Amino acid sequence: MAGCNHDCEHCGSKGGCNEIQKAKLNDRSKIKKVIAVLSGKGGVGKSYVTSMIAVNLNRRGYSVGILDGDITGPSIPKAFGLKGNAYADNGLILPKVSKTGIKIMSSNCLLENEGDPIVWRGTLLGNLVKQFYEEVLWEELDYLVIDMPPGTGDVALTVFQLIPVDDLVIVTSPQDLVSLIVTKAIKMANMMNIHVTGVVENMSYLECPDCGKQIPIFGESHLEEFSKEIGFEILGRLPLVSANASLVDSGKVEQIDVKEFVSIVDKIVGGK
């Protein structure tokens, strides 16, 4: 609205206008940069990429947090071997902390039984993501990495509208459908004025343990030509390694060392 000073609390319309109230950090937290990780579809390893970006940033000495925005399909706590509920401190939620000091908040940290489903509509899911940003005691973070739900639905819209996302990393796989999926994700980001740092192609190949040959088990990638066509940076291509999948499943993602993430994080930090 014309003349709006964004002070909704003292506004006479009391939220009756179309002004979107941005999420506001609590006064005990400070976040320098927010990175969102998005995939156009499920099953491409988005949470794995989120976890490894956070792990590699942490290895460089940055203070890092992960906001698990995939409310109905949370997997971050399991990847880090975290169990038990989060607690409150003077009205704020205390995040769980991983073995190497990464702060983590997820819907699974609120459930009495981590196997219980969350059956909510989109608006409630988006509100919980906003609450995680505003009401968690993040303290001082260099980077907050948000693990987005797959697709371009309500929760993604809420995050992009309400939370000050600095950079977006898109995760995909080497399949023919990639062009359509990545296009949708990039178009959504452009509509919301979110900077797309680039695309990570996961499960790009399987490396032969004997000869080292890269085997494209999901077909040849066309990401290079597609990146030139619509204009985005390829941050990296990740191999499919069964041992790493086992480490994630056993809560030991912080033990994984994938050399490709060094250059991926170089490009993310380079955009700081």
Side-chain angles (χ1 to χ4, degrees):
M1 294 179 67
C4 177
N5 63 2
H6 306 285
D7 183 9
C8 298
E9 183 179 352
H10 299 97
C11 177
S13 68
K14 296 294 182 184
C17 64
N18 292 323
E19 184 70 24
I20 296 173
Q21 298 184 43
K22 298 289 186 181
K24 184 179 180 182
L25 273 177
N26 58 79
D27 57 11
R28 296 168 62 189
S29 298
K30 181 180 179 181
I31 298 172
K32 293 181 182 178
K33 192 166 186 179
V34 178
I35 301 169
V37 182
L38 177 72
S39 63
K41 62 186 287 292
V44 299
K46 168 186 54 64
S47 296
Y48 167 66
V49 173
T50 298
S51 299
M52 290 305 298
I53 287 174
V55 166
N56 280 269
L57 285 169
N58 184 57
R59 286 173 182 167
R60 298 185 183 208
Y62 293 108
S63 55
V64 183
I66 300 178
L67 191 164
D68 190 351
D70 196 350
I71 304 300
T72 60
S75 57
I76 297 296
K78 179 176 175 58
F80 284 85
L82 298 175
K83 294 184 178 295
N85 286 30
Y87 295 95
D89 175 54
N90 292 325
L92 295 179
I93 306 168
L94 298 177
K96 305 291 286 185
V97 181
S98 75
K99 292 181 177 66
T100 63
I102 298 172
K103 296 177 180 178
I104 293 170
M105 192 62 221
S106 169
S107 60
N108 257 14
C109 299
L110 305 178
L111 298 176
E112 185 174 339
N113 180 354
E114 65 178 16
D116 290 342
I118 294 180
V119 188
W120 291 357
R121 295 191 183 276
T123 52
L124 292 176
L125 300 175
N127 286 337
L128 185 57
V129 175
K130 180 173 180 281
Q131 184 179 6
F132 283 168
Y133 178 79
E134 293 181 323
E135 299 180 22
V136 169
L137 183 58
W138 296 110
E139 298 181 295
E140 291 203 16
L141 294 180
D142 293 310
Y143 290 93
L144 178 66
V145 188
I146 302 179
D147 185 28
M148 304 278 283
T152 54
D154 286 347
V155 178
L157 182 63
T158 296
V159 171
F160 290 156
Q161 283 184 322
L162 302 185
I163 296 177
V165 174
D166 296 288
D167 290 300
L168 177 66
V169 174
I170 297 172
V171 182
T172 187
S173 60
Q175 295 170 316
D176 289 339
L177 193 60
V178 64
S179 59
L180 177 62
I181 293 168
V182 173
T183 298
K184 287 178 180 290
I186 290 178
K187 282 186 175 180
M188 180 182 189
N190 291 337
M191 288 170 61
M192 307 301 296
N193 294 316
I194 304 295
H195 174 252
V196 178
T197 306
V199 175
V200 174
E201 185 178 80
N202 192 30
M203 301 180 287
S204 185
Y205 58 89
L206 180 68
E207 188 172 290
C208 175
D210 296 322
C211 66
K213 181 181 179 181
Q214 294 182 0
I215 306 168
I217 59 174
F218 292 113
E220 293 292 340
S221 171
H222 301 286
L223 197 61
E224 186 75 38
E225 57 193 73
F226 182 50
S227 70
K228 295 176 181 178
E229 181 183 332
I230 68 171
F232 61 82
E233 182 174 2
I234 300 173
L235 298 179
R237 291 186 172 91
L238 302 176
L240 180 61
V241 182
S242 60
N244 290 346
S246 297
L247 286 171
V248 171
D249 289 341
S250 59
K252 299 175 182 177
V253 70
E254 289 165 298
Q255 297 181 17
I256 297 175
D257 188 10
V258 177
K259 65 180 185 298
E260 286 83 1
F261 274 105
V262 175
S263 60
I264 290 172
V265 171
D266 278 344
K267 293 169 184 176
I268 292 172
V269 172
K272 186 174 179 179

